[in-house]
Amino acid sequence: MDCVQHIDSAKVNEGDEKDVELQNQRDKSIEGQRLLILTDEQPWKPWKRSRSWVKECLVRVRCVMGSLMGMEWYCFATLGVLTAFLSFLMDLSVAKLLRAHQWLYSQLEGHCLLQFLCWTLYPVSLSALSTSFSQSICPFSAGSGVPEVRTILSGVDMPHYLSLTNLFAKYVGLICTLAAGSTVFLGKVGPFVHLSTMVGAYLNQLCTVLRGEKEERTEGAMLVVAAAVGVASCFGAPISGVLFSVEVMSSHFALKDYCPCFFAAACGALTFHLLSMWSGEQETLQALFQTSFSDDLPFYPLEIPVFAILGLLCGAGSCIYLFCHRWILLFIKTNKILIKVLSTEKALYSAMVVFLLASVTFPLSAGQYMASKLTIKQLLSSLLDSRQWTSQSHNASMVLQPNLCPWSEWISSGNPYLTLGFFLFMKLWMLVLACTLPLPAGYFMPVFIYGAAAFSGAVTHTLSPALLALELTGQSTHAAPILLATLVANALARSGQRPSFYDALSISKKLPHLPSLLKVCPRLSSVPIGKVLGPRGPVLERAAGPTEVQQVLNTCSQTQIPVVDTLDSQILLGSINRSDLQTFLCHNHNKVLKKQLVDMCSIQPVSVQLSPDTTVQEAHGILSVLCGESLFVTERGRLSGVVTWPEMKRMMADLADDL
């Protein structure tokens, strides 16, 4: 009997082995058919071995590069190089368009009417093109972009301002704006900081893919670095670029971003200088506006009070400029005619304003007293020239060749002091009017030309222009007087809680940027969060089951869900991550025995709890420093509400509407 059983079992084993072999043969044939089908249906993917070899090499390169330093450092370097290349390409395009305008104007010499039409219609056409193109492609591309980037860095999500469409529209529109020349008198610093942050946002996504992460990290560090790179790529000034990012862009600057900022800014500045050398604009790596002041005795000690008086004058001038700027922004928002024109005919408004500005700066009329033939770069070069204007003879060859002798435009009227005084008076209101144009434009460089470090520092409430002046000129011997004048001008401009230029733009656009709101309304610093806190979101009790968890996940998008003892007591126990709740649901779906939330999920304790009496300013600061997803507001241990970045944005927007 046992032998029969052994024989039967042996037959069964042999049968099983044959079945396994047949199944393996079938699988191989099916796999071969699949490969054949894929080869026939996808002829556009040839050289599979070559492609696999390339992929393997790329993986090895990534491993080698990752072993040297983190992948984010390569992204920082790429950010600096790309931004500098975009800056150089923009300068090259603008220079060609400006030379075309100058050539056409010179060819019409002797025909006053034709010269007037050439002088006015050229910038009018470019400004109208900049407005219509940028507004039709992306309406968010108009203006500087610095207030919006500051708002994003404060934690508010504004994805439209970092889109690829905005990048394209702002870049092309800014070229047209700068090509309008000193007639419009606008710059590129602010928009280029915005462009740099857009490039940084996409590089951050690329860095996330290269690291092989499934979840996206916060892009705040990359945007802070990009803001510094934007300034460094415009002037080749990395140190002042980092200081600008610290002073203007970040509400709370993290020390971990310090080295990446300098690294990326240095890469951008070095690339900018190298491109300028290869194009023939510079002979070596030097300051952009090299000066020739004496190093032995740059200034007399008795001149130090004069620098302080100059700072007072620049501070007073900045107060007048900021007042006029805030007034015209309010006038545009309240005037019914301008509201209608700017809502339907933005290009027409730009054309009308630019035609007025161009008519005033026509060289054969009032423009001869304003050095209107000079470009923005030539204006700054001539004003930083160490030669004495009064000692120069202004013959006809000098006047007709401003490229060789830009300072000669200031003495074309016979009296350089008259020209300079008329320039200061006219450009003040013209710059205020130009700030209302709905096109991509920067406002820092014109202000810097108007009053240099002290005036621009007072307008922006920063000290970085003092360092920028030193890096642009290479004149380190004047560090003390420049810093003194800038400090005095800042002290006068900051008195009385006056908002800066960028704060005024944020307030006018009603952006949820709390530091700007506090400048115009200091009483907001004492507003308790319990007064403006919205309704409490969904919560879970510790004994919740799958039904309650599923309902919360369907109605809530937060990553941290608060857990209370019971729904009646509302005693806060902690929070649970959204991923843990999804795991809890999967486990209960597979098991017949249903378990409660506390049986399977670990409740994370809450390290920071806010009181309803905590001010909005304090809550905003804590949320920015901790970089957390949410903060819980409790009163005597009972949950009162949850503060997230969307909730903080809503509260700040409500506060801005009340102003």
Side-chain angles (χ1 to χ4, degrees):
M1 191 69 179
D2 294 337
C3 294
V4 175
Q5 291 179 353
H6 284 299
I7 293 172
D8 293 338
S9 61
K11 291 182 179 180
V12 172
N13 291 334
E14 291 177 0
D16 292 341
E17 291 177 357
K18 291 181 180 180
D19 293 340
V20 171
E21 291 179 0
L22 290 174
Q23 185 65 30
N24 291 334
Q25 292 177 359
R26 290 174 183 174
D27 293 341
K28 290 180 180 180
S29 62
I30 293 173
E31 186 67 24
Q33 292 175 1
R34 288 178 179 175
L35 291 175
L36 182 61
I37 293 173
L38 289 175
T39 305
D40 294 339
E41 291 183 354
Q42 298 180 0
W44 50 271
K45 280 191 175 182
W47 308 304
K48 291 186 177 181
R49 292 184 179 179
S50 301
R51 286 190 288 108
S52 62
W53 179 80
V54 171
K55 289 182 180 180
E56 184 179 355
C57 292
L58 290 176
V59 171
R60 291 181 179 178
V61 169
R62 187 183 70 176
C63 294
V64 173
M65 294 174 63
S67 62
L68 296 176
M69 64 178 70
M71 295 302 300
E72 62 272 9
W73 289 94
Y74 296 101
C75 292
F76 292 148
T78 305
L79 174 63
V81 173
L82 283 179
T83 308
F85 178 76
L86 291 176
S87 178
F88 175 78
L89 184 62
M90 179 178 292
D91 291 342
L92 188 64
S93 304
V94 171
K96 290 184 179 297
L97 291 173
L98 288 175
R99 282 198 297 268
H101 186 207
Q102 293 173 352
W103 175 84
L104 183 59
Y105 180 82
S106 62
Q107 294 299 313
L108 297 175
E109 186 176 358
H111 305 277
C112 183
L113 179 60
L114 293 179
Q115 280 189 314
F116 175 78
L117 294 176
C118 172
W119 183 265
T120 55
L121 295 184
Y122 192 87
V124 165
S125 302
L126 287 173
S127 301
L129 176 61
S130 175
T131 303
S132 58
F133 181 83
S134 59
Q135 292 291 334
S136 59
I137 299 297
C138 182
F140 305 106
S141 60
S144 169
V146 171
E148 289 81 6
V149 176
R150 292 202 310 169
T151 306
I152 294 172
L153 288 175
S154 67
V156 180
D157 188 21
M158 302 173 68
H160 298 294
Y161 289 93
L162 299 177
S163 63
L164 186 61
T165 306
N166 197 354
L167 173 64
F168 175 70
K170 202 174 193 76
Y171 190 81
V172 177
L174 184 59
I175 291 177
C176 296
T177 302
L178 297 177
S182 59
T183 298
V184 183
F185 202 53
L186 294 173
K188 77 168 190 176
V189 178
F192 214 80
V193 170
H194 190 189
L195 290 170
S196 180
T197 55
M198 293 186 231
V199 176
Y202 281 93
L203 284 177
N204 181 75
Q205 297 179 4
L206 177 62
C207 185
T208 302
V209 174
L210 291 177
R211 284 194 298 251
E213 297 176 348
K214 295 182 179 180
E215 296 181 0
E216 296 184 359
R217 290 187 178 181
T218 176
E219 59 185 7
M222 183 66 78
L223 297 187
V224 171
V225 173
V229 171
V231 178
S233 301
C234 287
F235 303 113
I239 303 177
S240 56
V242 175
L243 186 58
F244 176 85
S245 179
V246 174
E247 288 186 301
V248 178
M249 308 306 297
S250 305
S251 301
H252 298 84
F253 188 85
L255 289 179
K256 62 182 179 62
D257 300 333
Y258 192 69
C259 288
C261 278
F262 271 108
F263 176 71
C267 292
L270 182 61
T271 305
F272 179 80
H273 283 301
L274 290 176
L275 290 174
S276 299
M277 285 178 53
W278 294 333
S279 65
E281 294 183 4
Q282 295 182 0
E283 296 180 358
T284 183
L285 297 179
Q286 62 183 11
L288 192 60
F289 300 96
Q290 190 75 28
T291 55
S292 57
F293 294 101
S294 175
D295 294 334
D296 297 332
L297 187 62
F299 56 90
Y300 293 97
L302 293 178
E303 291 181 301
I304 294 180
V306 178
F307 288 113
I309 295 174
L310 180 62
L312 287 175
L313 293 177
C314 290
S318 68
C319 293
I320 297 174
Y321 172 75
L322 291 175
F323 172 79
C324 296
H325 178 251
R326 291 194 300 270
W327 177 84
I328 200 167
L329 290 179
L330 181 61
F331 178 75
I332 289 177
K333 291 178 62 177
T334 55
N335 188 274
K336 296 182 179 179
I337 298 177
L338 290 178
I339 291 175
K340 185 177 181 180
V341 172
L342 288 174
S343 60
T344 56
E345 301 293 339
K346 290 184 174 65
L348 177 61
Y349 175 82
S350 297
M352 293 171 58
V353 172
V354 174
F355 181 79
L356 173 62
L357 297 176
S359 301
V360 173
T361 58
F362 182 51
L364 298 182
S365 59
Q368 60 181 319
Y369 303 104
M370 302 168 56
S372 59
K373 286 185 179 180
L374 300 181
T375 63
I376 289 183
K377 187 175 182 179
Q378 291 172 342
L379 281 172
L380 189 56
S381 299
S382 62
L383 291 171
L384 294 175
D385 201 322
S386 59
R387 287 176 289 186
Q388 297 292 328
W389 293 349
T390 55
S391 63
Q392 306 295 334
S393 60
H394 55 285
N395 53 42
S397 62
M398 289 181 179
V399 175
L400 293 176
Q401 295 180 358
N403 292 328
L404 300 179
C405 299
W407 50 265
S408 62
E409 281 292 312
W410 296 99
I411 60 176
S412 60
S413 62
N415 189 346
Y417 301 107
L418 175 63
T419 304
L420 186 60
F422 191 71
F423 173 86
L424 293 175
F425 172 75
M426 296 296 290
K427 285 297 182 181
L428 182 64
W429 67 266
M430 293 174 66
L431 181 56
V432 172
L433 185 60
C435 291
T436 64
L437 294 174
L439 42 74
Y443 313 114
F444 176 81
M445 194 62 183
V447 173
F448 188 83
I449 294 175
Y450 188 89
F455 186 79
S456 56
V459 168
T460 58
H461 290 185
T462 59
L463 298 178
S464 54
L467 188 57
L468 178 62
L470 298 178
E471 288 191 279
L472 286 180
T473 60
Q475 202 72 36
S476 59
T477 55
H478 287 73
I482 289 177
L483 185 59
L484 174 63
T486 308
L487 286 171
V488 172
N490 261 275
L492 185 58
R494 290 170 180 262
S495 61
Q497 292 292 328
R498 295 186 181 93
S500 67
F501 180 85
Y502 295 122
D503 291 331
L505 289 177
S506 298
I507 295 167
S508 176
K509 296 179 180 180
K510 294 187 176 182
L511 295 175
H513 186 251
L514 188 59
S516 300
L517 299 179
L518 294 175
K519 290 290 184 65
V520 71
C521 189
R523 62 178 178 82
L524 294 180
S525 59
S526 59
V527 175
I529 197 170
K531 184 178 180 181
V532 294
L533 190 64
R536 187 183 58 201
V539 296
L540 287 171
E541 60 179 355
R542 63 194 307 268
T547 305
E548 292 82 0
V549 172
Q550 185 65 58
Q551 183 178 2
V552 168
L553 291 178
N554 293 337
T555 58
C556 178
S557 60
Q558 299 177 10
T559 57
Q560 294 177 334
I561 311 299
V563 179
V564 296
D565 187 17
T566 61
L567 296 179
D568 296 332
S569 65
Q570 292 294 319
I571 300 297
L572 181 64
L573 300 179
S575 63
I576 294 182
N577 292 330
R578 191 180 187 88
S579 58
D580 294 339
L581 295 179
Q582 294 173 348
T583 304
F584 170 77
L585 288 180
C586 293
H587 183 81
N588 277 274
H589 179 72
N590 297 329
K591 299 292 183 180
V592 179
L593 180 62
K594 305 297 182 182
K595 293 187 177 181
Q596 296 180 350
L597 185 66
V598 71
D599 297 330
M600 295 184 56
C601 298
S602 59
I603 301 176
Q604 301 174 358
V606 179
S607 57
V608 178
Q609 297 184 23
L610 303 181
S611 169
D613 297 329
T614 304
T615 63
V616 176
Q617 183 181 9
E618 293 171 345
H620 182 272
I622 295 173
L623 202 61
S624 301
V625 172
L626 296 180
C627 298
E629 292 290 339
S630 57
L631 294 174
F632 300 105
V633 181
T634 59
E635 184 176 8
R636 296 180 180 179
R638 298 175 180 270
L639 182 65
S640 301
V642 181
V643 180
T644 59
W645 276 122
E647 177 68 12
M648 181 61 70
K649 178 182 178 181
R650 183 200 61 78
M651 288 189 291
M652 290 188 293
D654 293 342
L655 294 175
D657 291 336
D658 294 338
L659 298 180

